[in-house]
Amino acid sequence: MHIHLSNASDKPIYEQITIQLKEAILANKLQAGDALPSIRALAKDLKISVMTTKRAYADLERDGFIETVAGKGSFVTERNQDFLREELLRQVEAHVLKAVKLAKTAGLSNEELQDLVTLMLEGDHLR
C-alpha cells in the first residue's frame, strides 16, 4: 500500500495518513486481519516523525478501523456492515455539502442542482 503525503495539503500529515488508510480499508484494499506496517517502519518509509504515525494509528484505532496487539502490531479490524455504511454515508454527506456550497457560489438554483445530480446518477461515467 502506498501513502502519498503532500506538503501543499491543508491537512496535517497524520490526518493525510489516517484518511488514506481509512479509504483503503473502506475500499477493501486492506481487509480484516491485514497487518499494517509498524509505526516505526511507516515513519521511516515516509520520512516523518514516529509521533506523527503514532497519532494516525491512534486515530484509526479510536475510530474502530484498526486494533493494536501488544508485541504483534496493528491490524485491520473486522468491519461491522452498519458501521461501514455509516462511515460511507458520512463521507457522502461531506461531499454533497461541498457540492451544494459550490453550486450556490455558482448561482445554481435548487432545481438546476437537482437536475445535475439526476443527470450524474443516470450517466455512464459511474461504471
Side-chain angles (χ1 to χ4, degrees):
M1 153 134 205
H2 177 73
I3 295 175
H4 174 74
L5 300 178
S6 171
N7 290 330
S9 174
D10 61 339
K11 299 199 181 312
I13 292 173
Y14 77 87
E15 194 172 337
Q16 292 179 51
I17 295 168
T18 302
I19 289 168
Q20 290 179 52
L21 287 173
K22 279 184 179 182
E23 287 173 352
I25 292 167
L26 291 171
N28 284 325
K29 292 178 184 171
L30 290 173
Q31 298 182 352
D34 286 352
L36 297 180
S38 72
I39 290 171
R40 290 185 192 281
L42 183 60
K44 183 178 179 184
D45 184 47
L46 297 175
K47 297 176 178 59
I48 59 173
S49 163
V50 170
M51 293 302 295
T52 301
T53 55
K54 184 174 181 166
R55 170 77 188 268
Y57 277 31
D59 287 356
L60 288 164
E61 191 161 11
R62 177 200 67 215
D63 294 344
F65 283 87
I66 67 170
E67 61 185 345
T68 301
V69 179
K72 294 192 177 189
S74 297
F75 302 88
V76 177
T77 59
E78 187 69 39
R79 305 302 304 161
N80 174 317
Q81 286 297 30
D82 290 336
F83 179 83
L84 176 63
R85 186 175 191 290
E86 189 62 32
E87 177 64 22
L88 291 171
L89 181 59
R90 185 191 64 72
Q91 290 182 23
V92 168
E93 288 172 353
H95 288 292
V96 169
L97 179 60
K98 188 175 181 179
V100 167
K101 287 179 179 179
L102 188 58
K104 293 295 181 190
T105 300
L108 270 66
S109 69
N110 288 354
E111 185 176 291
E112 289 172 317
L113 180 57
Q114 289 171 347
D115 289 345
L116 179 59
V117 169
T118 299
L119 284 171
M120 299 296 277
L121 288 170
E122 293 170 353
D124 288 337
H125 59 279
L126 294 176
R127 293 181 192 152

